[in-house]
Amino acid sequence: MNGLIKLELTRALRNRKFLFFSVIYPSVLFLLIAGSADGTEKVDGTGLTLPTYMMVSMASFGALTAVLMGNSERIAKERQSGWVRQLRLTTLPGRGYVLAKTASAAVVSLPSIVVVFAVAATVKDVRLDAWQWCALTGAIWAGSLVFAALGVAIGYLANGDAVRPITMITYFGLSILGGLWMPTTTFPTWLQDIAKWVPTHAYAALGQSIEQSQAPHAKDIVILAVFFALFTGGAAWLYRKDTLKA
């Protein structure tokens, strides 16, 4: 299993297109959205400046990109090519394959978080205490496992050409509704009520609480835990179903 994890990490780090969209792209979006923003004006309902708010949003967006896009399409293509079937003939347990995919995506998600933080600190002069930087990194990185599980589930749900549109719709829907591209306070009231139950909204809220030196809201933790259970349960069921077909 260790050998497969190393192979997956090597493949992920050699994929320049994937690295651009998961590591560089979120920082570029941060600069486009918050680059000319006033560093003192607060985002309504948050108590955070736009650069500080968007720093967490884009770090979360980068981690989401790495674990969701990195898992779903790759798993679907490997199923189609027969690679997954070949691995089943080895002593590798099924959980080892899923773990290798999750580990490789998680490793790539960490640089995306750090790069956004570095850009925000140097370009927009975002300043936090040392414990906040560490807590933000850990919370966003750990929270990305929820969407890594979703990526695995989509990879076993869809085949071939169908996986990309399904992944993209899910990806953009979660990003927009969760307030990763713009504050949800700019949404109509009815859409704000929906956004509060989207996992990406709870995901970003973890980081925003840390920026405000507050404990994460129990509701956000519960929402992420419920979705993690749903996604992992769905991924496990789809994996077993796919195994029976082979």
Side-chain angles (χ1 to χ4, degrees):
M1 187 169 65
N2 290 338
L4 182 60
I5 292 176
K6 291 179 181 178
L7 174 62
E8 291 297 333
L9 290 176
T10 302
R11 291 174 59 186
L13 295 175
R14 285 180 177 176
N15 190 332
R16 295 181 181 179
K17 181 179 178 182
F18 176 66
L19 285 175
F20 171 80
F21 281 103
S22 62
V23 178
I24 306 300
Y25 182 51
S27 297
V28 173
L29 281 181
F30 171 81
L31 292 175
L32 289 175
I33 297 172
S36 59
D38 185 350
T40 59
E41 186 177 352
K42 305 286 185 177
V43 176
D44 290 341
T46 67
L48 300 172
T49 63
L50 184 62
T52 306
Y53 179 95
M54 292 308 301
M55 180 184 75
V56 163
S57 295
M58 287 298 106
S60 303
F61 175 67
L64 170 69
T65 303
V67 297
L68 180 59
M69 303 293 286
N71 274 338
S72 60
E73 292 192 32
R74 199 172 301 149
I75 290 174
K77 290 178 180 178
E78 288 179 358
R79 288 174 55 230
Q80 187 176 31
S81 68
W83 172 243
V84 176
R85 190 179 301 111
Q86 290 295 320
L87 287 176
R88 290 194 183 115
L89 299 177
T90 69
T91 58
L92 179 74
R95 66 180 181 278
Y97 175 78
V98 175
L99 177 61
K101 291 295 182 185
T102 304
S104 62
V107 168
V108 177
S109 72
L110 184 57
S112 69
I113 298 168
V114 174
V115 170
V116 170
F117 286 174
V119 171
T122 55
V123 177
K124 296 303 296 180
D125 198 33
V126 174
R127 294 290 179 264
L128 298 172
D129 293 336
W131 73 266
Q132 289 175 300
W133 289 115
C134 294
L136 277 175
T137 303
I140 295 174
W141 198 21
S144 69
L145 294 176
V146 175
F147 307 100
L150 175 59
V152 174
I154 294 175
Y156 279 104
L157 175 67
N159 290 311
D161 296 333
V163 68
R164 176 159 293 185
I166 292 174
T167 301
M168 295 302 288
I169 291 172
T170 304
Y171 172 64
F172 285 115
L174 288 173
S175 299
I176 295 171
L177 279 178
L180 300 187
W181 286 7
M182 64 189 75
T184 55
T185 52
T186 63
F187 295 173
T189 303
W190 65 270
L191 191 56
Q192 290 184 41
D193 293 336
I194 295 174
K196 291 176 182 178
W197 299 99
V198 175
T200 38
H201 182 276
Y203 182 37
L206 293 181
Q208 292 161 11
S209 296
I210 293 171
E211 287 181 319
Q212 295 170 319
S213 299
Q214 299 176 358
H217 295 292
K219 176 183 175 182
D220 295 324
I221 296 176
V222 170
I223 288 174
L224 288 175
V226 169
F227 274 100
F228 181 67
L230 289 174
F231 294 155
T232 52
W237 180 78
L238 290 166
Y239 175 80
R240 288 194 296 269
K241 183 179 178 182
D242 188 70
T243 302
L244 293 174
K245 288 181 180 179

